Amino acid sequence: MTRTNPSSATASPAASSPDPPDSGGLCAIHQPNLFPRLTTLAKLFAADTWIVLDDVQFTRRDYQHRARLATLGAPQVSRWMSIPTHLPQGRQTVVRDALIADPDLARRRTMAMLRQYYGASPHWAGLAEALEPVGAEFGSGRTAAVTEMSTRILLDRLGWKGHILRSGDLSARPGRSQRLADLTAAVGAGSYLSGTGGMRYLDAAPFAAQELVVIPFLTPSVGVWSSGRQVSALWALATLGPDQLADRLRAVAAAHTSLETAVPGD
């Protein structure tokens, strides 16, 4: 699996490359989440391209503006951390247009809560430095800018060298599965990584019509992964540190790369 290195990986994590990656590889499509769960982060880490799904309807009480923080040493003890968000167009507001209610207060509360939960970690110094761009994005006033950055800095901290684009900058036909297939094709990927939730509704036909492979994304369910579908990946990063966590993510990514290369006819 050949990866391209986005400008965000070595300089500012805020920068996106406007150019599509080389053809082939794995594509993940996901809304920007606030410090995403470990399973979500693992899916993005396994992909060569992450398409930030920023032009779909914003969903309250989801991970688009909140994360569940687990306590160091006790991942079963957790608490929600949310960014208060205003929807200018009501329920029809798309992700990229959602606004932070009182950005300065939200920034102070978010950064204080992160320090409260993970300041005792032996890996806090590096994590605190990595969090600085997230705090800065509150100045944009946009929830999606903060949540996207919160994912970028985690990927960057773990050494991911993939490519990031936004769905709002790409052309795709309507229809849930058709749109996902078109977005995958638009970035030149050969395979689409689908989470377990997506597999329940996904129609494979639009992918097959464009000779795209759908690969179900699965993670282990024991060890650090036991709470991976509930709590933010920050807990795993603060507990294991970037090197050990990256090793675990690479192992999962390698399994899905093998599925990609094993597809008949490739």
Side-chain angles (χ1 to χ4, degrees):
M1 177 168 55
T2 302
R3 297 188 187 277
T4 55
N5 191 355
S7 54
S8 63
T10 54
S12 168
S16 291
S17 172
D19 302 318
D22 296 334
S23 60
L26 300 173
C27 175
I29 304 174
H30 207 279
Q31 300 97 329
N33 284 183
L34 180 63
F35 296 109
R37 294 166 292 167
L38 184 58
T39 51
T40 299
L41 187 68
K43 182 177 73 170
L44 302 183
F45 187 90
D48 298 280
T49 303
W50 170 29
I51 299 178
V52 182
L53 196 60
D54 66 348
D55 59 349
V56 295
Q57 184 175 318
F58 184 94
T59 304
R60 289 198 182 275
R61 302 184 65 80
D62 201 350
Y63 295 95
Q64 295 168 18
H65 69 126
R66 63 181 189 163
R68 186 177 286 279
L69 302 184
T71 303
L72 282 177
Q76 70 278 11
V77 180
S78 62
R79 175 185 171 189
W80 285 108
M81 177 180 72
S82 302
I83 297 178
T85 297
H86 168 63
L87 304 181
Q89 289 81 46
R91 294 180 62 184
Q92 301 306 310
T93 302
V94 297
V95 169
R96 65 188 176 199
D97 292 336
L99 302 177
I100 303 171
D102 198 339
D104 188 55
L105 178 60
R107 177 189 59 79
R108 294 198 308 271
R109 287 180 172 174
T110 298
M111 304 313 284
M113 193 168 177
L114 293 174
R115 177 177 289 275
Q116 173 190 348
Y117 269 74
Y118 303 116
S121 165
H123 310 287
W124 172 250
L127 181 56
E129 182 179 358
L131 289 170
E132 291 178 3
V134 180
E137 283 297 334
F138 278 88
S140 71
R142 296 188 176 273
T143 301
V146 175
T147 55
E148 180 182 329
M149 181 60 72
S150 75
T151 304
R152 285 173 172 269
I153 63 103
L154 294 180
L155 290 169
D156 182 59
R157 187 83 179 136
L158 295 165
W160 184 70
K161 304 233 176 351
H163 202 97
I164 299 176
L165 296 168
R166 297 189 182 96
S167 61
D169 297 328
L170 302 169
S171 298
R173 287 168 285 183
R176 182 181 286 185
S177 296
Q178 182 67 64
R179 188 158 187 264
L180 294 175
D182 286 354
L183 290 172
T184 301
V187 300
S191 303
Y192 170 68
L193 279 177
S194 176
T196 54
M199 289 303 298
R200 288 195 288 268
Y201 68 77
L202 199 71
D203 178 5
F207 293 88
Q210 300 185 68
E211 299 184 340
L212 301 171
V213 178
V214 176
I215 299 178
F217 185 78
L218 302 171
T219 59
S221 58
V222 297
V224 70
W225 300 99
S226 60
S227 59
R229 294 186 61 81
Q230 290 81 42
V231 304
S232 168
L234 281 170
W235 175 84
L237 181 58
T239 300
L240 299 175
D243 293 340
Q244 288 192 45
L245 181 56
D247 286 344
R248 285 162 170 76
L249 295 180
R250 280 192 289 267
V252 172
H256 291 84
T257 302
S258 299
L259 290 175
E260 177 194 18
T261 58
V263 172
D266 278 7

